[in-house]
DNA sequence: TTGTGGTTTGGAAGCGCTTTCTTTATGAAT
DNA sequence: ATTCATAAAGAAAGCGCTTCCAAACCACAA
């Protein structure tokens, strides 16, 4: 009834090769003739074979698993990041052991107990302030560490140029009449996790505006948690301060969403009375006609994964920094003539 | 230099027993004399031995891994839940493969790809509406499934009696003069994830109040996302409606925290003008003097883990439901005489 | 043809454990 | 003391894979 999963032996038999050859095909070893490789691949397909990762690990003496440490927050951002990382890792049949930072204070103990069990080959750490914890001897730091969406000169890092993003936002919004406003994300999970991303974006925005000869009074910056609600509150706040037209740079798409909602409630015309620019480039922004700075999140994750794999495989060079740039996507929320919207 | 991890053989040698015996000690097999077991345990300790989980898996033909599906939200709640689950699982040297519901729409594909790799022995699912997805054939459902913090007649479940909690809140608050208010949590990750917890608590509260001869007009219920901010908004809203003294039942400690903050800003006296009762019983409530309904979250997680292990080991009985009850913890926020606070 | 060096391939050994089978010790009953 | 059932322990046979080594094969030059 419950027929056992096929093993490498069955595949070898069917393809009329030795088990060694099958293994070599599995591991993309170069010294297999294309013709042989195809025979093996066909046999695997026919049998519905998939290799047993545990056997692989015990035989290979490696874990083929990477620890991913991130402040999972049921967020589009991490969802996409994970996707990019997973994509690369899956290609090499590596697995991910997820270490959500449920609470920074518990992280260390948690990592210790669990990563011991997993004995992972490397760490992928995605957290603004968390990098400081890493040099700490308590971490399994003999293994390679790569930072995602965070920068440190001590490690390989793949990160977004948020300041540049802010500048791009400024350049774009400066062309419109009306005052400038900004909403800054400031999420504080705990003292440890200082989120500097929001800050960088606003700083860039301010710099960009200065170049364009405009200014951003600090009263025009609303600091908010990461939620649509925050966007609504921000707009309410701005309306108390002054009158449209507004040019608002929201530090995250989700905040922009809140602004959109509130603007509708207030009967303000998006693209005219309220020009709005988000940050993230999440898929749903297209449907909402929200202009945004699209972040190549998946690529960033993928690149980090690649760097980690290289380290795992023995690469010894000095820390590499891969900087990613957002792309301006203009939609109706920053265009009066809706003809141009996509 | 990099001296290899000791294996079962070294332990066997040092303890002057066979490797079989060492394995039996590892697996708590009954047929080992206490004296022998001690010798083995001592040897393991001396060598700093810890078993290789991968080898165990390939030899045993099981994965000794449990999938944990939950909407990780960097929340004290999940942190504690995980702790309870992990505690039990670690005892039996089972591991956890974490499947955060980063986005319900992506969950299925994600689970499919990753759980295939992990080939886990069972599923622990913690999500209010997610249970509906499970009977779906796409899920690895031949394996046992246990629900945590959710109930379904189809599966073993460990869940909190939120309605009872609401009633307890009512009983407690009804003794005080002043109008009743409530803040209901309503988090919507996606259409799929309908959070009914908040609703149940408020329903229980309303029922309890009715029994006590008090009422809760629906205008006195503020629906909020799960954030401290929500609590602040709620109190502002209540102040617009009426005048203190207020008796507020916050559907979650975090909301209560917001109320506390806002009350301070408004100069309202907690415990007199504003009586406040939270829900969750998180550690920090003690420091804040916040009365709360403490949930035995860890125990709930632990129980779920136990049930799952039993299923994995072959238990075939019909679905079991383990109901957990919150405990009322009275502190200064619902006591005028602060002498009684802890 | 024979030889040479490189490329492909088969298969055995081994990774660290579980489990079964067997042997040996234990001890209660005769 | 002897027997027999039972408990405890050892040894060996895998689990499904990687890797190493040696054998087979190949193309081309001498």
């Amino acid at each position: 009834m419950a027929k056992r999963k096929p093993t490498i032996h069955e595949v070898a038999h069917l393809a009329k090769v030795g088990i060694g050859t099958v293994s070599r095909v599995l591991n993309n070893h170069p010294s297999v003739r294309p013709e042989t490789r195809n025979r093996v691949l066909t046999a695997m397909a026919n049998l519905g074979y998939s290799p047993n990762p545990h056997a692989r690990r015990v035989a290979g003496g490696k874990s083929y698993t990477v620890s991913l440490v991130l402040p999972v927050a049921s967020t589009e951002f991490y969802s996409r990041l994970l996707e990019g990382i997973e994509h690369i890792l899956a290609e090499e049949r590596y697995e991910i052991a997820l270490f959500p930072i449920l609470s920074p204070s518990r992280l260390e103990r948690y990592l210790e107990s669990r990563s011991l069990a997993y004995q992972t080959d490397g760490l992928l750490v995605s957290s603004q302030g968390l990098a400081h914890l890493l040099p700490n001897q308590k971490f399994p730091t003999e293994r390679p560490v790569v930072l995602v969406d965070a920068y440190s000169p001590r490690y390989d890092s793949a990160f977004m140029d948020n300041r540049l993003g802010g500048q791009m936002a400024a350049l774009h919004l400066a062309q419109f009449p009306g005052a400038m406003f900004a909403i800054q994300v400031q999420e504080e999970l705990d003292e440890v996790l200082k989120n500097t991303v929001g800050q960088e974006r606003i700083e860039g925005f301010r710099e960009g505006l200065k170049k364009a000869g405009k200014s951003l009074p600090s009263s025009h910056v609303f600091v908010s948690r990461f939620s649509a609600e925050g966007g609504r509150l921000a707009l309410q706040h701005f309306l108390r301060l002054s009158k449209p037209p507004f040019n608002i740079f929201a530090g995250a798409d989700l905040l922009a969403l809140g602004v959109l909602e509130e603007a509708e409630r207030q009967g303000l015309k998006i693209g005219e009375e309220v020009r709005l620019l988000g940050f993230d480039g999440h898929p749903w922004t297209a449907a909402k006609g929200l202009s945004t700075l699209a972040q190549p999140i998946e690529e960033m994750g993928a690149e980090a994964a690649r760097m980690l794999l290289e380290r795992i495989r023995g690469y010894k060079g000095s820390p590499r920094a891969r900087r990613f740039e957002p792309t301006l996507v203009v939609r109706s929320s920053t265009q009066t003539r809706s003809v141009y919207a996509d």
Side-chain angles (χ1 to χ4, degrees), chain A residues 274-290:
Chain A
V274 174
R275 290 207 178 69
L276 180 62
L277 178 59
F279 207 116
D280 280 342
H282 292 321
W284 55 263
T285 53
K288 297 265 175 192
L290 176 65

Side-chain angles (χ1 to χ4, degrees), chain A residues 199-244:
Chain A
Q199 209 173 314
E200 285 167 18
R201 290 180 188 166
I202 300 306
E203 280 170 12
F205 187 56
R206 183 168 270 127
E207 289 167 20
L209 285 180
K210 185 174 289 174
K211 273 187 206 146
K214 305 228 174 187
S215 72
L216 183 73
S218 63
S219 68
H220 281 204
V221 178
F222 186 86
V223 177
S224 163
R225 303 196 187 187
F226 179 75
S227 69
E229 199 164 31
R232 279 208 299 279
L233 294 172
L235 184 52
Q236 286 171 12
H237 179 70
F238 296 156
L239 283 168
R240 248 174 267 133
L241 291 180
S242 112
K243 282 203 170 6

